[in-house]
Each structure stands twice: as structure tokens, then as C-alpha cells.
Amino acid sequence: MSVVAAGAADNGRRTAAVARVLAFISALIAFAIAGLMIFDAVRVVNEPIEPDQVDFRLVTGVMLVIMAAIVAPVGVLNLIGARLLGRRKPRGRTLVLTGSLLGAVVAFMVGAVAPVVAWVSVIVLFIVTAVAAALPGTKRWVQCAPSPSESGESVLGQVG
């Protein structure tokens, strides 16, 4: 690798590292939100019903589980994408972009019942993660992946 290519890869390394850390944080937040939704669904279904009220416990519980099933894949996309981004795989960048943009849309649609500061913070986090993954430096870092002999990976067993 030439000195110029090494410098370009180093510049992109920082933006890729930021994108990777933000993707991990986004994944953890998505998993936490999904877990809280499932916890709330169990709590709602098990609370006692008042005799003079209509019983919407099951419907509320099912809706919370459905929302958790929508939020959880956002965490999976960001987690897998961050891991692949660390390995300089173009799929990782694509997964982080997809997961973050999907996360921003889902947070916008689902999070309206949350406190405004938390709701806006989560949306901003997903957008900043998508921007960090979309930056040219991240793309350049992924594309300047070292050859297997430079990175220390074994070349045995590879088909030509």
C-alpha cells in the first residue's frame, strides 16, 4: 500500500470508527426499547381489570409485542452492520445505513408517546449514525481494505 493510500485509509478510519460506535449504540438502544415494550406488554396483560372498564389488556399487549417486533430488526441491522463495518465489508456500511434510516422512521412513528426529549434524541442518534456511515471517508475506508496478506489473514483454502 502506498503512503497516499495509507493516508486516505487513515482519514476514513476515523469516520468509520464513529459510524461503527454510533451503530453499536443505536443497536443497544433499539434492543432496550424492544425489551421495554415486551416488558410493558407483559405488565399490561397481567394487571387486574376494573369491573366498570372495558378490557383492552390483550389488544394493548399484542400491539406492544408487534411494535417490539418492528423495533428489534433495527437493532439487528445496526449490530451486524457495525460488526461488518469493522471488518471493512461494504455490506456493513449498507446495513448500518439501512438500519439507521429505518430506525429514524420507526422512532418517528412509534415514539410519539415518549417524552419529547427522548423521542427527538433517538431520532437524531439514528440520523447522525446514517450520516456517519454515508460520509465519503467511511466509504473510502471500506474500499481501501488491505489484502489478506497485509492484514494477516490466512490465504489457505481460498479458491482463486
Side-chain angles (χ1 to χ4, degrees), residues 86-112:
R87 293 181 177 179
R88 291 184 164 188
K89 304 288 183 185
R91 284 182 312 224
R93 184 172 174 257
T94 304
L95 287 174
V96 170
L97 277 167
T98 304
S100 298
L101 294 175
L102 182 63
V105 170
V106 169
F108 181 77
M109 292 171 40
V110 174

PDB file of all heavy atoms in Angstrom, residues 86-112:
ATOM      1  N   GLY A  86     -16.572  -2.962  10.810  1.00  0.00           N
ATOM      2  CA  GLY A  86     -15.260  -3.112  11.434  1.00  0.00           C
ATOM      3  C   GLY A  86     -14.342  -4.025  10.644  1.00  0.00           C
ATOM      4  O   GLY A  86     -13.117  -3.925  10.732  1.00  0.00           O
ATOM      5  N   ARG A  87     -14.923  -4.909   9.868  1.00  0.00           N
ATOM      6  CA  ARG A  87     -14.142  -5.814   9.010  1.00  0.00           C
ATOM      7  C   ARG A  87     -13.974  -5.266   7.599  1.00  0.00           C
ATOM      8  O   ARG A  87     -13.542  -5.988   6.702  1.00  0.00           O
ATOM      9  CB  ARG A  87     -14.829  -7.177   8.933  1.00  0.00           C
ATOM     10  CG  ARG A  87     -14.820  -7.911  10.244  1.00  0.00           C
ATOM     11  CD  ARG A  87     -15.483  -9.244  10.072  1.00  0.00           C
ATOM     12  NE  ARG A  87     -15.418 -10.000  11.320  1.00  0.00           N
ATOM     13  CZ  ARG A  87     -15.924 -11.183  11.473  1.00  0.00           C
ATOM     14  NH1 ARG A  87     -16.544 -11.779  10.467  1.00  0.00           N
ATOM     15  NH2 ARG A  87     -15.837 -11.797  12.628  1.00  0.00           N
ATOM     16  N   ARG A  88     -14.393  -4.016   7.402  1.00  0.00           N
ATOM     17  CA  ARG A  88     -14.282  -3.323   6.117  1.00  0.00           C
ATOM     18  C   ARG A  88     -15.095  -3.996   5.018  1.00  0.00           C
ATOM     19  O   ARG A  88     -14.685  -4.036   3.855  1.00  0.00           O
ATOM     20  CB  ARG A  88     -12.825  -3.211   5.687  1.00  0.00           C
ATOM     21  CG  ARG A  88     -12.024  -2.290   6.538  1.00  0.00           C
ATOM     22  CD  ARG A  88     -10.635  -2.161   5.995  1.00  0.00           C
ATOM     23  NE  ARG A  88      -9.969  -1.007   6.586  1.00  0.00           N
ATOM     24  CZ  ARG A  88      -8.808  -0.559   6.188  1.00  0.00           C
ATOM     25  NH1 ARG A  88      -8.161  -1.152   5.223  1.00  0.00           N
ATOM     26  NH2 ARG A  88      -8.279   0.484   6.773  1.00  0.00           N
ATOM     27  N   LYS A  89     -16.241  -4.482   5.355  1.00  0.00           N
ATOM     28  CA  LYS A  89     -17.126  -5.090   4.362  1.00  0.00           C
ATOM     29  C   LYS A  89     -18.137  -4.041   3.907  1.00  0.00           C
ATOM     30  O   LYS A  89     -18.781  -3.389   4.733  1.00  0.00           O
ATOM     31  CB  LYS A  89     -17.879  -6.281   4.948  1.00  0.00           C
ATOM     32  CG  LYS A  89     -16.986  -7.356   5.528  1.00  0.00           C
ATOM     33  CD  LYS A  89     -16.277  -8.105   4.449  1.00  0.00           C
ATOM     34  CE  LYS A  89     -15.446  -9.217   5.052  1.00  0.00           C
ATOM     35  NZ  LYS A  89     -14.656  -9.907   4.099  1.00  0.00           N
ATOM     36  N   PRO A  90     -18.320  -3.863   2.592  1.00  0.00           N
ATOM     37  CA  PRO A  90     -19.293  -2.888   2.095  1.00  0.00           C
ATOM     38  C   PRO A  90     -20.722  -3.176   2.580  1.00  0.00           C
ATOM     39  O   PRO A  90     -21.506  -2.255   2.775  1.00  0.00           O
ATOM     40  CB  PRO A  90     -19.203  -3.015   0.569  1.00  0.00           C
ATOM     41  CG  PRO A  90     -17.846  -3.582   0.316  1.00  0.00           C
ATOM     42  CD  PRO A  90     -17.539  -4.457   1.498  1.00  0.00           C
ATOM     43  N   ARG A  91     -21.029  -4.449   2.790  1.00  0.00           N
ATOM     44  CA  ARG A  91     -22.361  -4.793   3.309  1.00  0.00           C
ATOM     45  C   ARG A  91     -22.598  -4.164   4.670  1.00  0.00           C
ATOM     46  O   ARG A  91     -23.720  -3.821   5.011  1.00  0.00           O
ATOM     47  CB  ARG A  91     -22.507  -6.310   3.442  1.00  0.00           C
ATOM     48  CG  ARG A  91     -22.713  -7.047   2.180  1.00  0.00           C
ATOM     49  CD  ARG A  91     -22.879  -8.502   2.504  1.00  0.00           C
ATOM     50  NE  ARG A  91     -21.805  -8.918   3.421  1.00  0.00           N
ATOM     51  CZ  ARG A  91     -21.110 -10.025   3.314  1.00  0.00           C
ATOM     52  NH1 ARG A  91     -21.378 -10.860   2.355  1.00  0.00           N
ATOM     53  NH2 ARG A  91     -20.156 -10.320   4.169  1.00  0.00           N
ATOM     54  N   GLY A  92     -21.556  -4.044   5.478  1.00  0.00           N
ATOM     55  CA  GLY A  92     -21.687  -3.451   6.799  1.00  0.00           C
ATOM     56  C   GLY A  92     -22.142  -2.008   6.719  1.00  0.00           C
ATOM     57  O   GLY A  92     -23.035  -1.576   7.451  1.00  0.00           O
ATOM     58  N   ARG A  93     -21.532  -1.270   5.815  1.00  0.00           N
ATOM     59  CA  ARG A  93     -21.935   0.131   5.624  1.00  0.00           C
ATOM     60  C   ARG A  93     -23.379   0.212   5.158  1.00  0.00           C
ATOM     61  O   ARG A  93     -24.155   1.039   5.642  1.00  0.00           O
ATOM     62  CB  ARG A  93     -20.992   0.773   4.607  1.00  0.00           C
ATOM     63  CG  ARG A  93     -21.229   2.226   4.374  1.00  0.00           C
ATOM     64  CD  ARG A  93     -20.095   2.804   3.501  1.00  0.00           C
ATOM     65  NE  ARG A  93     -20.386   4.168   3.160  1.00  0.00           N
ATOM     66  CZ  ARG A  93     -20.831   4.573   1.976  1.00  0.00           C
ATOM     67  NH1 ARG A  93     -21.010   3.700   1.012  1.00  0.00           N
ATOM     68  NH2 ARG A  93     -21.077   5.842   1.760  1.00  0.00           N
ATOM     69  N   THR A  94     -23.760  -0.658   4.243  1.00  0.00           N
ATOM     70  CA  THR A  94     -25.136  -0.684   3.751  1.00  0.00           C
ATOM     71  C   THR A  94     -26.114  -1.046   4.861  1.00  0.00           C
ATOM     72  O   THR A  94     -27.180  -0.430   4.983  1.00  0.00           O
ATOM     73  CB  THR A  94     -25.259  -1.700   2.594  1.00  0.00           C
ATOM     74  OG1 THR A  94     -24.314  -1.361   1.582  1.00  0.00           O
ATOM     75  CG2 THR A  94     -26.655  -1.715   2.017  1.00  0.00           C
ATOM     76  N   LEU A  95     -25.762  -2.032   5.682  1.00  0.00           N
ATOM     77  CA  LEU A  95     -26.651  -2.417   6.782  1.00  0.00           C
ATOM     78  C   LEU A  95     -26.797  -1.311   7.816  1.00  0.00           C
ATOM     79  O   LEU A  95     -27.895  -1.085   8.340  1.00  0.00           O
ATOM     80  CB  LEU A  95     -26.141  -3.697   7.445  1.00  0.00           C
ATOM     81  CG  LEU A  95     -26.315  -4.984   6.655  1.00  0.00           C
ATOM     82  CD1 LEU A  95     -25.640  -6.148   7.374  1.00  0.00           C
ATOM     83  CD2 LEU A  95     -27.771  -5.276   6.427  1.00  0.00           C
ATOM     84  N   VAL A  96     -25.715  -0.616   8.118  1.00  0.00           N
ATOM     85  CA  VAL A  96     -25.792   0.493   9.071  1.00  0.00           C
ATOM     86  C   VAL A  96     -26.667   1.607   8.506  1.00  0.00           C
ATOM     87  O   VAL A  96     -27.515   2.166   9.217  1.00  0.00           O
ATOM     88  CB  VAL A  96     -24.386   1.014   9.439  1.00  0.00           C
ATOM     89  CG1 VAL A  96     -24.467   2.314  10.223  1.00  0.00           C
ATOM     90  CG2 VAL A  96     -23.630  -0.023  10.238  1.00  0.00           C
ATOM     91  N   LEU A  97     -26.479   1.925   7.235  1.00  0.00           N
ATOM     92  CA  LEU A  97     -27.323   2.946   6.607  1.00  0.00           C
ATOM     93  C   LEU A  97     -28.796   2.547   6.634  1.00  0.00           C
ATOM     94  O   LEU A  97     -29.662   3.333   7.027  1.00  0.00           O
ATOM     95  CB  LEU A  97     -26.887   3.177   5.158  1.00  0.00           C
ATOM     96  CG  LEU A  97     -25.733   4.129   4.946  1.00  0.00           C
ATOM     97  CD1 LEU A  97     -25.204   4.023   3.521  1.00  0.00           C
ATOM     98  CD2 LEU A  97     -26.173   5.544   5.228  1.00  0.00           C
ATOM     99  N   THR A  98     -29.077   1.322   6.239  1.00  0.00           N
ATOM    100  CA  THR A  98     -30.461   0.836   6.221  1.00  0.00           C
ATOM    101  C   THR A  98     -31.058   0.808   7.621  1.00  0.00           C
ATOM    102  O   THR A  98     -32.170   1.290   7.835  1.00  0.00           O
ATOM    103  CB  THR A  98     -30.516  -0.577   5.601  1.00  0.00           C
ATOM    104  OG1 THR A  98     -29.921  -0.536   4.303  1.00  0.00           O
ATOM    105  CG2 THR A  98     -31.941  -1.080   5.504  1.00  0.00           C
ATOM    106  N   GLY A  99     -30.327   0.234   8.569  1.00  0.00           N
ATOM    107  CA  GLY A  99     -30.824   0.140   9.931  1.00  0.00           C
ATOM    108  C   GLY A  99     -31.048   1.499  10.568  1.00  0.00           C
ATOM    109  O   GLY A  99     -32.031   1.711  11.282  1.00  0.00           O
ATOM    110  N   SER A 100     -30.156   2.439  10.308  1.00  0.00           N
ATOM    111  CA  SER A 100     -30.275   3.760  10.908  1.00  0.00           C
ATOM    112  C   SER A 100     -31.439   4.550  10.308  1.00  0.00           C
ATOM    113  O   SER A 100     -32.196   5.193  11.036  1.00  0.00           O
ATOM    114  CB  SER A 100     -28.977   4.538  10.737  1.00  0.00           C
ATOM    115  OG  SER A 100     -27.937   3.879  11.393  1.00  0.00           O
ATOM    116  N   LEU A 101     -31.565   4.510   9.002  1.00  0.00           N
ATOM    117  CA  LEU A 101     -32.681   5.224   8.378  1.00  0.00           C
ATOM    118  C   LEU A 101     -34.017   4.597   8.758  1.00  0.00           C
ATOM    119  O   LEU A 101     -34.990   5.302   9.055  1.00  0.00           O
ATOM    120  CB  LEU A 101     -32.500   5.262   6.862  1.00  0.00           C
ATOM    121  CG  LEU A 101     -31.301   6.087   6.387  1.00  0.00           C
ATOM    122  CD1 LEU A 101     -31.129   5.960   4.879  1.00  0.00           C
ATOM    123  CD2 LEU A 101     -31.454   7.539   6.801  1.00  0.00           C
ATOM    124  N   LEU A 102     -34.064   3.275   8.775  1.00  0.00           N
ATOM    125  CA  LEU A 102     -35.276   2.587   9.216  1.00  0.00           C
ATOM    126  C   LEU A 102     -35.570   2.906  10.681  1.00  0.00           C
ATOM    127  O   LEU A 102     -36.715   3.129  11.064  1.00  0.00           O
ATOM    128  CB  LEU A 102     -35.126   1.080   9.010  1.00  0.00           C
ATOM    129  CG  LEU A 102     -36.328   0.207   9.366  1.00  0.00           C
ATOM    130  CD1 LEU A 102     -37.513   0.558   8.483  1.00  0.00           C
ATOM    131  CD2 LEU A 102     -35.964  -1.255   9.218  1.00  0.00           C
ATOM    132  N   GLY A 103     -34.522   2.956  11.492  1.00  0.00           N
ATOM    133  CA  GLY A 103     -34.681   3.293  12.904  1.00  0.00           C
ATOM    134  C   GLY A 103     -35.228   4.689  13.105  1.00  0.00           C
ATOM    135  O   GLY A 103     -36.064   4.921  13.980  1.00  0.00           O
ATOM    136  N   ALA A 104     -34.768   5.648  12.297  1.00  0.00           N
ATOM    137  CA  ALA A 104     -35.287   7.023  12.407  1.00  0.00           C
ATOM    138  C   ALA A 104     -36.765   7.076  12.052  1.00  0.00           C
ATOM    139  O   ALA A 104     -37.555   7.736  12.737  1.00  0.00           O
ATOM    140  CB  ALA A 104     -34.483   7.960  11.511  1.00  0.00           C
ATOM    141  N   VAL A 105     -37.150   6.355  11.000  1.00  0.00           N
ATOM    142  CA  VAL A 105     -38.564   6.326  10.600  1.00  0.00           C
ATOM    143  C   VAL A 105     -39.416   5.652  11.669  1.00  0.00           C
ATOM    144  O   VAL A 105     -40.477   6.162  12.057  1.00  0.00           O
ATOM    145  CB  VAL A 105     -38.722   5.620   9.227  1.00  0.00           C
ATOM    146  CG1 VAL A 105     -40.179   5.361   8.905  1.00  0.00           C
ATOM    147  CG2 VAL A 105     -38.063   6.437   8.141  1.00  0.00           C
ATOM    148  N   VAL A 106     -38.953   4.512  12.165  1.00  0.00           N
ATOM    149  CA  VAL A 106     -39.708   3.786  13.195  1.00  0.00           C
ATOM    150  C   VAL A 106     -39.795   4.615  14.476  1.00  0.00           C
ATOM    151  O   VAL A 106     -40.854   4.698  15.100  1.00  0.00           O
ATOM    152  CB  VAL A 106     -39.077   2.401  13.461  1.00  0.00           C
ATOM    153  CG1 VAL A 106     -39.664   1.757  14.697  1.00  0.00           C
ATOM    154  CG2 VAL A 106     -39.271   1.504  12.256  1.00  0.00           C
ATOM    155  N   ALA A 107     -38.693   5.257  14.868  1.00  0.00           N
ATOM    156  CA  ALA A 107     -38.711   6.086  16.069  1.00  0.00           C
ATOM    157  C   ALA A 107     -39.667   7.263  15.900  1.00  0.00           C
ATOM    158  O   ALA A 107     -40.364   7.642  16.842  1.00  0.00           O
ATOM    159  CB  ALA A 107     -37.306   6.588  16.388  1.00  0.00           C
ATOM    160  N   PHE A 108     -39.714   7.815  14.709  1.00  0.00           N
ATOM    161  CA  PHE A 108     -40.638   8.919  14.451  1.00  0.00           C
ATOM    162  C   PHE A 108     -42.083   8.461  14.557  1.00  0.00           C
ATOM    163  O   PHE A 108     -42.920   9.147  15.131  1.00  0.00           O
ATOM    164  CB  PHE A 108     -40.376   9.518  13.067  1.00  0.00           C
ATOM    165  CG  PHE A 108     -41.269  10.674  12.737  1.00  0.00           C
ATOM    166  CD1 PHE A 108     -41.029  11.913  13.297  1.00  0.00           C
ATOM    167  CD2 PHE A 108     -42.336  10.518  11.879  1.00  0.00           C
ATOM    168  CE1 PHE A 108     -41.850  12.991  13.005  1.00  0.00           C
ATOM    169  CE2 PHE A 108     -43.160  11.579  11.577  1.00  0.00           C
ATOM    170  CZ  PHE A 108     -42.924  12.827  12.134  1.00  0.00           C
ATOM    171  N   MET A 109     -42.374   7.269  14.035  1.00  0.00           N
ATOM    172  CA  MET A 109     -43.750   6.774  14.026  1.00  0.00           C
ATOM    173  C   MET A 109     -44.178   6.222  15.381  1.00  0.00           C
ATOM    174  O   MET A 109     -45.303   6.448  15.814  1.00  0.00           O
ATOM    175  CB  MET A 109     -43.903   5.697  12.942  1.00  0.00           C
ATOM    176  CG  MET A 109     -43.775   6.246  11.549  1.00  0.00           C
ATOM    177  SD  MET A 109     -43.695   4.998  10.238  1.00  0.00           S
ATOM    178  CE  MET A 109     -44.840   3.784  10.726  1.00  0.00           C
ATOM    179  N   VAL A 110     -43.305   5.497  16.053  1.00  0.00           N
ATOM    180  CA  VAL A 110     -43.672   4.781  17.275  1.00  0.00           C
ATOM    181  C   VAL A 110     -43.434   5.611  18.527  1.00  0.00           C
ATOM    182  O   VAL A 110     -44.175   5.499  19.493  1.00  0.00           O
ATOM    183  CB  VAL A 110     -42.885   3.449  17.350  1.00  0.00           C
ATOM    184  CG1 VAL A 110     -43.124   2.744  18.660  1.00  0.00           C
ATOM    185  CG2 VAL A 110     -43.265   2.553  16.191  1.00  0.00           C
ATOM    186  N   GLY A 111     -42.437   6.459  18.505  1.00  0.00           N
ATOM    187  CA  GLY A 111     -42.011   7.114  19.725  1.00  0.00           C
ATOM    188  C   GLY A 111     -42.768   8.353  20.123  1.00  0.00           C
ATOM    189  O   GLY A 111     -42.372   9.039  21.062  1.00  0.00           O
ATOM    190  N   ALA A 112     -43.846   8.684  19.462  1.00  0.00           N
ATOM    191  CA  ALA A 112     -44.571   9.908  19.768  1.00  0.00           C
ATOM    192  C   ALA A 112     -45.139   9.914  21.185  1.00  0.00           C
ATOM    193  O   ALA A 112     -45.410  10.969  21.735  1.00  0.00           O
ATOM    194  CB  ALA A 112     -45.686  10.124  18.760  1.00  0.00           C
TER     195      ALA A 112
END
